[in-house]
Amino acid sequence: MIRFILNSEEHAAENVSPTTTMLDYVRSHLSLTGTKEGCAEGDCGACTVVRVTDGRFEAVNACLMQIGQADGTEIITVEGLKAINGGELVPIQEAMVRGDGTQCGFCTPGFIGALFALEQSDEKISDEIIHEALAGNLCRCTGYRPIVDAARDACGKIVDYTPQMPPGRTKEHHAAGQVFHAPDKLVELTALRAAYPEAMLLSGGTDLGLLVSKEKQRPDVVIHTAHVAELQEIVETEDAITFGASVSYSRALPYIDRLYPPFAEMIRRIGSRQIRNLGTLGGNIGNASPIGDTPPCLIVLEAVLSLASQDGEREIAIEDFFLDYRKTDLLPGEVIKSICIPKLSDGQSFRTYKVSKRYDQDISAVIGAFCLTIDGDIVTDARIGFGGMAATPKRGAAMEGALIGKCWSEETAAAAGVMARQDYSPISDHRASSDYRLRVAGNLLTRLYRDLADVEETLEVVKL
Ligand SMILES: Cc1cc2nc3c(=O)[nH]c(=O)nc-3n(C[C@H](O)[C@H](O)[C@H](O)COP(=O)(O)OP(=O)(O)OC[C@H]3O[C@@H](n4cnc5c(N)ncnc54)[C@H](O)[C@@H]3O)c2cc1C
Ligand code: FES
Ligand code: FES
């Protein structure tokens, strides 16, 4: 039985498929129809609910989250907000009413969920943060100004609510002919992986959630990694930082912000907050998409993966992990345990640029990552990685060769950019043509030069 706190009351989901999305569950099983379905793929935010874990209020997309993932947590839907505020509307609801922040109202519960989670956080709220928190919510009629005004208005008005103590978790749920395993130790996880090599290995579910929400798949066996203690660890040493594979982007961000600021800036463009609260680094790597945003960065930062199975653990440079289109070096029975990223040393400069049609909430056409060591004027080391340019995330050996040993200048950078055509033969698809990808990848070298040289001109389309 899956048990969680729902709108301040203990709730048990009995005899329900554990892969039912939270959205379908609250709407169809509980008639809590305030939570809406728009896209059912994480893009519109109409389904946003608030998940409370370890005292943190986080907005998540109910259309991607499976109810098995809610076991032992607290979920608040729009219907539950008054209950946690002594029967009164919470401040963001009141501000939306006062400021006419809604017209058709379909998107409104999602906006309320996203902004309520923001108001309850300990973040210093600025206009930039409000816009970031709203990047995953679409409104097609009100226009964002009154919604942003409402967010400003409710700013600092935190509801005095102590999250409930969620019921204990269960490690194995059987229902509707499916089994949902939620182990809490690595040794249990690897035993399950060995026993069920074909099972759905579920981390945050922002990729896999689409299989249940859109493709209506009902996997017989799911192995959920989010509660495995070793996969949730963050360990920092003098030389490196190691993230467990199931650490969400939101939890990793403060560390990445401090150690690799351009990487953090890029992660803030992965989906929306709702996606980053669920999505994980391990999922992005395990998914092995050629347009995944983190692998090119991790490749140039020389990250090393720990892979675990019943036979023990082994390490592999992430650069060697991607073998072919969606094919990795992961053996049957293995899982990604953690990702170790060395810290940048003095003299190393790291940058990453994501090229997509929109600033927020868009998949990359091309993503470039660069790590250069420059001694005086001379480039002594260069690591360049691209996504969107080949069947896998891939280093640009010819581009690197055109930089190493050369004097760092705009001409050298441009000459290295030309070598993109030797390193890559990208495909044309609906995101970009092959030629565009080659040209933009080459031009990113010029941008890198200007960026490192602090040239005072706008280098990208930014959100205002
Ligand atoms: C609306 C939306 C926007 C998105 N935007 C972006 C974007 O801008 N950039 C981007 O890169 N991605 C984006 N994604 C994709 C997705 O959010 C990321 O790939 C995310 O990192 C996946 O993590 P997860 O934990 O949700 O993975 P899951 O969906 O749980 O799993 C993804 C894959 O990884 C495997 N896996 C998970 N954990 C492990 C493990 N420990 N060992 C081995 N394999 C494992 C799973 O079996 C599965 O094959 C977006 C997705 C959505 C829905
Ligand atoms: S329904 Fe659109 S994000 Fe969930
Ligand atoms: S109020 Fe109508 S789409 Fe948002």
Side-chain angles (χ1 to χ4, degrees):
M1 195 190 309
I2 295 162
R3 292 183 305 151
F4 52 99
I5 305 285
L6 177 65
N7 295 340
S8 310
E9 288 181 4
E10 194 165 325
H11 179 80
E14 283 182 73
N15 301 323
V16 183
S17 155
T19 60
T20 307
T21 65
M22 182 56 76
L23 177 64
D24 280 348
Y25 185 67
V26 295
R27 286 182 62 84
S28 307
H29 293 252
L30 308 179
S31 299
L32 294 173
T33 51
T35 306
K36 305 297 184 201
E37 174 170 318
C39 62
E41 55 185 33
D43 278 322
C44 75
C47 65
T48 303
V49 297
V50 178
R51 177 182 67 172
V52 190
T53 16
D54 303 329
R56 284 195 322 273
F57 291 73
E58 295 181 317
V60 295
N61 293 123
C63 66
L64 297 177
M65 182 181 180
Q66 303 173 22
I67 57 163
Q69 292 176 257
D71 193 35
T73 68
E74 177 168 358
I75 301 290
I76 306 171
T77 70
V78 71
E79 291 88 351
L81 289 174
K82 272 170 88 174
I84 68 169
N85 194 33
E88 303 290 326
L89 294 180
V90 297
I92 185 62
Q93 287 176 305
E94 247 189 33
M96 285 282 256
V97 174
R98 240 190 346 263
D100 289 328
T102 181
Q103 283 186 46
C104 79
F106 190 84
C107 66
T108 311
F111 273 95
I112 296 290
L115 291 174
F116 176 69
L118 174 68
E119 309 291 352
Q120 290 300 110
S121 72
D122 51 12
E123 269 178 281
K124 200 166 169 297
I125 298 176
S126 60
D127 275 9
E128 194 184 350
I129 297 287
I130 292 172
H131 284 287
E132 192 201 298
L134 292 180
N137 293 77
L138 291 184
C139 177
R140 293 169 186 81
C141 56
T142 301
Y144 285 80
R145 190 192 46 75
I147 298 172
V148 172
D149 284 348
R152 288 188 192 118
D153 195 7
C155 194
K157 297 176 186 157
I158 295 178
V159 174
D160 184 14
Y161 170 69
T162 311
Q164 309 256 328
M165 178 61 82
R169 286 191 322 104
T170 317
K171 288 193 198 173
E172 200 174 313
H173 306 283
H174 293 257
Q178 296 170 283
V179 194
F180 191 98
H181 294 277
D184 49 27
K185 295 190 188 71
L186 182 63
V187 63
E188 297 166 352
L189 173 65
T190 52
L192 285 164
R193 195 65 188 146
Y196 306 105
E198 302 301 324
M200 175 185 272
L201 186 67
L202 177 73
S203 186
T206 58
D207 282 314
L208 292 173
L210 297 175
L211 300 182
V212 295
S213 72
K214 288 304 245 198
E215 295 181 25
K216 307 292 178 202
Q217 288 187 17
R218 282 172 58 93
D220 294 337
V221 184
V222 177
I223 306 169
H224 186 34
T225 60
H227 300 288
V228 177
E230 293 89 334
L231 270 66
Q232 287 291 357
E233 280 175 357
I234 301 176
V235 179
E236 185 173 353
T237 62
E238 210 175 304
D239 306 325
I241 186 154
T242 302
F243 295 103
S246 282
V247 171
S248 71
Y249 292 117
S250 299
R251 269 191 69 218
L253 260 172
Y255 299 87
I256 297 182
D257 250 332
R258 177 164 49 82
L259 298 172
Y260 324 95
F263 192 11
E265 205 178 305
M266 192 279 293
I267 287 180
R268 287 203 172 80
R269 293 179 60 190
I270 293 187
S272 56
R273 278 197 175 199
Q274 287 91 323
I275 294 292
R276 296 192 294 276
N277 287 335
L278 288 173
T280 63
L281 285 168
N284 203 229
I285 298 164
N287 182 37
S289 163
I291 44 173
D293 279 333
T294 66
C297 299
L298 294 170
I299 286 173
V300 305
L301 289 169
E302 300 185 66
V304 174
L305 304 180
S306 270
L307 308 179
S309 72
Q310 277 196 311
D311 298 332
E313 290 184 26
R314 70 182 170 110
E315 294 194 335
I316 181 170
I318 190 169
E319 185 180 345
D320 301 326
F321 183 69
F322 303 105
L323 302 179
D324 204 342
Y325 180 69
R326 300 240 178 208
K327 193 164 175 288
T328 70
D329 194 55
L330 203 67
L331 299 171
E334 272 186 331
V335 297
I336 304 167
K337 180 192 161 205
S338 60
I339 303 110
C340 175
I341 316 174
K343 290 186 181 170
L344 292 168
S345 51
D346 288 347
Q348 272 188 314
S349 300
F350 167 76
R351 292 290 188 278
T352 179
Y353 309 116
K354 170 167 173 162
V355 179
S356 58
K357 288 183 181 161
R358 285 180 309 194
Y359 185 87
D360 286 311
Q361 183 74 315
D362 203 359
I363 304 289
S364 301
V366 170
I367 171 139
F370 310 88
C371 195
L372 300 192
T373 310
I374 301 170
D375 190 358
D377 282 347
I378 304 298
V379 182
T380 55
D381 192 28
R383 290 177 68 87
I384 296 178
F386 273 96
M389 297 291 288
T392 62
K394 184 172 171 270
R395 267 178 86 178
M399 294 171 107
E400 291 172 1
L403 291 179
I404 295 171
K406 304 277 172 15
C407 181
W408 181 231
S409 66
E410 190 156 348
E411 290 69 36
T412 309
V418 172
M419 304 307 275
R421 288 174 191 270
Q422 280 194 24
D423 283 323
Y424 303 103
S425 311
I427 57 165
S428 294
D429 64 11
H430 62 283
R431 288 204 175 83
S433 67
S434 170
D435 192 51
Y436 173 80
R437 287 187 153 107
L438 284 165
R439 282 166 61 184
V440 86
N443 290 346
L444 287 184
L445 266 293
T446 302
R447 176 170 167 184
L448 174 69
Y449 177 80
R450 294 187 182 189
D451 190 352
L452 294 182
D454 270 338
V455 173
E456 280 191 19
E457 64 182 67
T458 303
L459 295 171
E460 69 174 332
V461 178
V462 291
K463 62 177 176 182
L464 292 172

